[in-house]
Amino acid sequence: MQVTRKTVLKILLPLAAAALGVYAFSAGRAESVAVIRPVYGPAVQAVYATGTVEPSVMVPIAGKRPAVLLAFSADEGQSVTKGQVLAQLEGDVLQKALAEMEAVAALAEKEFARR
């Protein structure tokens, strides 16, 4: 099949006319854009509200050794500070546990010194 000049013109002329029509149609409809000047100001707006804050995850708190609770010096909702004593435990069980741990440490030191 031989492509002639007439065939090429029959294909290219409608394409060129369509492209010209699309260009003419879109050139008359320019998008409008609002231009504003930047200003200095606060980047964050604060929101003030009343209410209570509740944790999203409840975490149980427990001691490593069992002991009897003698005194508890903080109530729910009360503010506490770092280092503040919140609870007092009975010392007998803890003293025995401390003595046991000290004996284990002393034995480990003796075994280490033998090697």
Side-chain angles (χ1 to χ4, degrees):
M1 178 170 153
Q2 186 176 8
V3 179
T4 63
R5 185 179 277 187
K6 276 186 174 182
T7 308
V8 172
L9 286 176
K10 284 181 183 179
I11 294 172
L12 288 181
L13 280 177
L15 287 176
L20 185 62
V22 169
Y23 175 74
F25 182 72
S26 64
R29 295 179 13 152
E31 294 284 330
S32 62
V33 177
V35 178
I36 60 170
R37 293 225 178 254
V39 293
Y40 287 99
V44 177
Q45 294 180 352
V47 176
Y48 297 97
T50 58
T52 56
V53 178
E54 294 184 8
S56 59
V57 177
M58 297 297 286
V59 179
I61 299 175
K64 293 181 180 180
R65 299 277 181 193
V68 177
L69 183 64
L70 294 179
F72 195 72
S73 60
D75 293 324
E76 184 177 339
Q78 179 182 352
S79 296
V80 295
T81 60
K82 183 177 180 180
Q84 178 181 346
V85 176
L86 299 178
Q88 182 180 1
L89 303 176
E90 186 178 47
D92 293 343
V93 176
L94 296 177
Q95 289 299 330
K96 289 178 186 176
L98 177 62
E100 180 185 342
M101 292 296 132
E102 287 174 345
V104 169
L107 179 62
E109 286 177 358
K110 285 181 184 178
E111 287 182 12
F112 180 75
R114 272 195 264 170
R115 292 182 183 199

